[in-house]
Structure formats: structure tokens, C-alpha cells
Amino acid sequence: MQESGALVNAYVRNSTGVLELNRPRALNSLNQEMIDIIDEALKEWKDDDAVHRVLLTSLSEKGFCAGGDVRVARDAALSGNHDPADRFFATEFVMNGDLAEFPKPYVSLIDGVVMGGGLGISAHGSHRVITERAFAAMPEMAIGYMPDVGIPWMFQHMVGETGKPSYALAVFLVVTGWRLSPADMLYSGLATHFVPSENLSDFTDMLIAESLDEALERFAEEGPTDSKLKEYAADIEATFGYESWEHIDRALKKHPNQEFVADVNKHLESANPASVVAAVELMHAVTKCASIREELELERVLGAHMRREPNFAEGVRAVLVDKDRSPSFHPATFDAVDESIYRALLTSVLNK
Ligand code: QUE
């Protein structure tokens, strides 16, 4: 189906549709071509009775997928022609929704870094298999952006070890850009299964030659349990379960576990204050959505707004282009951010 040399290989082997991310030099960060290949494959395999499941994997030794190609979006923003980036994110979000509604088992093998857009092509699937080398983050606060690709919805609905979803945990993860360890991923429900990396190719072979159930039965293990998120669970519930950054900030200032608060503040040092305020507004608006498609529309509209603010080009510059990690964001302090712009924008979409 795909010629070799494509940025994503898509082919059917036995009864498994296989997607292989193949843009190693950019840590598999997603561009328009990759989005189009993935969505086309999902559309084809959804109704193909010969395809019983989909397997998503990376051909890069260095990781799974670093996110969307935000450097290109920055170039678009700086040139004043926003059309290609607007189209990229619109089609990416449609693909995220298609994956969330995909009717067959969809198995991602995460054996390294997965961030942002990488979670958008994996976390909505039925099976998120990780190894001891996996780690995950939503790092958008550092690039002056916002959480997207349906993850604000997914994080609010995922069920891990506690057996119930947590709005507070979801807000904590997107606001701090917390780097989830394998134990954190299993605890939170972001990962569904653990397979040691040394067994991953045997797992893949068995999945393709026999079945998903047999491969899991043979190779899935309990995995690590030393989750820092689990340790922080009560602190997170006490401070991040609010509808605005102002409320969360007030709760943090009064919170008795100041070691936790210091850890949060350390994570916020690299964040764009306006991104944090907008992210909490988005997270609260998401609680009013009835479906991920509705939620993705909130992201599409808010994202177009955020990419037109100078903080986005500045954040991508500081993290990915010049890599000096010293962005100058405006406003520079939380107190000076006006949340009413974001609130009004989100309310207008919800009321449509
Ligand atoms: C936030 C992001 C991204 C990021 C870092 C952030 C992102 C992304 C990359 C990335 C990383 C390594 C690469 C590359 C891109 O980093 O979306 O091409 O080699 O793609 O803080 O959203």
C-alpha cells in the first residue's frame, strides 16, 4: 500500500494493519504527510473484514513520537500565513477523533518518549503497551501553546489503578508538563499493559502470527509500581481540582505539603503563564463536552488563537530552534494574564 521510504509505513500482515513511524531524525514528530497516511489507513481498515486489529510502532531507536512538527507551525506564524498550520491541526484533530472511535483493537508499542501529538496517535486506542524505557509528557506550556490532540478529554476519562477518572490529575498533568514514568503511566491508566523491551519483538511477532490476546497472555507483566503520581495523589486532588488557575493557585498557596508545592513551582518555571491560564480554562470547558469530537472543536478554535499570539513563536524558538530555554513570555507573571479572552472564546464554541 505504501512505498518504502514513506514517513509512515502502512501495510497489512496476516490480519494486522501495521503502522510504522519512520521519521527518526525528527523523533517521529508528525507532519501533514504522516497525519494523512495514518488517517487514510484507519478509514480503510475500519471496514475491512480482513483486518482484525491495528499495531502502531516506531522504527526509531530513540523513541516513539515527540509530538507535532511545531517548528513548521512557528514558521507559518512568523510569515503571517497561518493556513497550512490551521489545516495541519484541523486534520490532525479529525484523525485523533477517528482513532478514538476506531471500532477494533488498536495497539501502540511505546518503547521511549511519547509527547503531545504522539499521545494523540496512541492514547485514544484500546491498548497502550509500554516498556521500562517509556516516558510521556504534555510539554506544551513550555512552548507557549496549549494541550491538544484530544488529550484534555482522554486524561479526564482515563481510569488507572484508582478505578475512577480524576479531573484534578488531568489538570495537574497538562499544567506541569509532568514527565510520567512507566509506573506513573500504569498508575494513571495512560498505559494499559507492560512488556519488557527485551520481549517486544517477540511480542510483536506473536501478535501478528497468532493473536493480541495470546501475545499479551505470554508477554505482559505487572510492571513497575513506584509511581510518584500515586504518592502525590492526595496533594493533587486537594489543589488541582478547580475550574480556574486562580483557584488552583490559591489552593497551592494554602496547601500544607510544601514539598509538593515546591515541585509544582519548579515545573512551572519554564511555563508560559498565559498558556497555563488558558489550559485550565480549556480543561474546565472540556467537562461540559458530551464527546471527544466536541472537545476537539474547542481545541481547534483555541489553538488557532494561541498560535497567533507571539508567545507561541517565542516558546518554540526557545525550546526547539535556539534551544536556549530562556523564552521571554508576555505577560511574564500569572497575575497579569487576562483569562476572560480564553473563557469567552471557549464559551462561544460550547454555545454553538
Ligand atoms: C512541546 C512540544 C514539542 C516538543 C517540545 C515541547 C513538540 C515536538 C518536539 C520535538 C522534539 C524533538 C524533535 C522534534 C520535535 O518537542 O511538539 O523534531 O527532534 O514535536 O516542549 O509540543
Side-chain angles (χ1 to χ4, degrees):
M1 182 192 303
Q2 286 301 323
E3 56 188 299
S4 66
L7 297 179
V8 181
N9 298 323
Y11 57 88
V12 176
R13 182 141 306 161
N14 295 343
S15 53
T16 299
V18 180
L19 293 167
E20 296 171 333
L21 304 173
N22 188 25
R23 197 189 178 198
R25 275 177 303 166
L27 243 176
N28 289 332
S29 65
L30 302 168
N31 64 15
Q32 187 73 57
E33 175 188 336
M34 297 165 80
I35 299 296
D36 292 345
I37 293 170
I38 295 169
D39 202 40
E40 201 179 300
L42 289 180
K43 289 201 163 87
E44 199 172 315
W45 293 341
K46 177 164 76 91
D47 301 315
D48 184 343
D49 290 339
V51 175
H52 296 179
R53 67 193 78 81
V54 173
L55 179 69
L56 170 65
T57 187
S58 160
L59 295 180
S60 165
E61 272 299 302
K62 289 203 317 202
F64 182 77
C65 178
D69 196 339
V70 287
R71 270 178 264 229
V72 169
R74 173 177 181 267
D75 292 342
L78 291 175
S79 76
N81 178 12
H82 293 276
D83 293 350
D86 289 348
R87 186 174 105 79
F88 170 78
F89 286 98
T91 52
E92 182 180 30
F93 295 171
V94 168
M95 179 266 286
N96 300 138
D98 289 347
L99 172 53
E101 292 173 356
F102 195 70
K104 300 173 186 179
Y106 180 102
V107 188
S108 298
L109 303 184
I110 301 169
D111 185 27
V113 57
V114 58
M115 300 196 299
L119 286 168
I121 57 172
S122 56
H124 304 301
S126 58
H127 293 68
R128 289 88 67 181
V129 177
I130 62 164
T131 73
E132 74 287 351
R133 307 200 305 177
F135 65 93
M138 289 297 284
E140 293 82 7
M141 303 296 97
I143 58 163
Y145 198 42
M146 50 164 251
D148 65 350
V149 296
I151 293 301
W153 170 274
M154 192 276 166
F155 277 5
Q156 290 190 35
H157 291 86
M158 66 184 175
V159 172
E161 213 180 273
T162 63
K164 55 183 195 306
S166 166
Y167 169 81
L169 177 60
V171 175
F172 170 85
L173 291 174
V174 302
V175 162
T176 61
W178 183 262
R179 182 177 154 144
L180 291 94
S181 67
D184 289 340
M185 293 175 80
L186 291 161
Y187 166 75
S188 64
L190 182 51
T192 58
H193 299 83
F194 180 87
V195 173
S197 61
E198 60 180 3
N199 294 336
L200 207 54
S201 72
D202 289 343
F203 172 83
T204 305
D205 291 347
M206 190 178 248
L207 186 153
I208 290 172
E210 315 286 337
S211 72
L212 172 59
D213 287 346
E214 283 166 280
L216 286 171
E217 174 69 30
R218 171 81 175 77
F219 292 108
E221 299 182 8
E222 191 200 348
T225 57
D226 56 334
S227 167
K228 190 78 181 169
L229 285 181
K230 183 179 186 173
E231 235 174 80
Y232 278 160
D235 299 302
I236 291 169
E237 292 302 325
T239 52
F240 277 85
Y242 295 97
E243 63 182 62
S244 73
W245 172 252
E246 193 187 343
H247 285 82
I248 294 169
D249 191 37
R250 210 180 298 147
L252 285 168
K253 288 192 170 108
K254 292 193 306 212
H255 190 63
N257 182 354
Q258 284 297 309
E259 183 216 306
F260 167 74
V261 175
D263 200 356
V264 169
N265 287 337
K266 193 184 77 201
H267 282 79
L268 288 173
E269 275 171 20
S270 56
N272 170 30
S275 288
V276 170
V277 169
V280 183
E281 294 296 321
L282 173 64
M283 294 302 274
H284 176 63
V286 170
T287 66
K288 302 190 185 313
C289 291
S291 73
I292 190 169
R293 298 285 187 186
E294 260 180 53
E295 190 272 334
L296 288 162
E297 180 62 8
L298 289 179
E299 292 180 10
R300 193 185 63 76
V301 173
L302 185 62
H305 178 89
M306 299 300 287
R307 289 192 302 278
R308 284 160 177 76
E309 291 190 352
N311 287 321
F312 172 66
E314 172 61 5
V316 176
R317 181 203 66 73
V319 173
L320 289 171
V321 180
D322 297 338
K323 303 184 175 153
D324 58 27
R325 290 236 161 222
S326 59
S328 79
F329 290 130
H330 300 283
T333 60
F334 288 95
D335 296 347
V337 179
D338 177 7
E339 82 284 343
S340 67
I341 307 156
Y342 310 117
R343 197 170 291 173
L345 200 58
L346 293 163
T347 304
S348 77
V349 179
L350 286 173
N351 289 339
K352 251 193 219 132

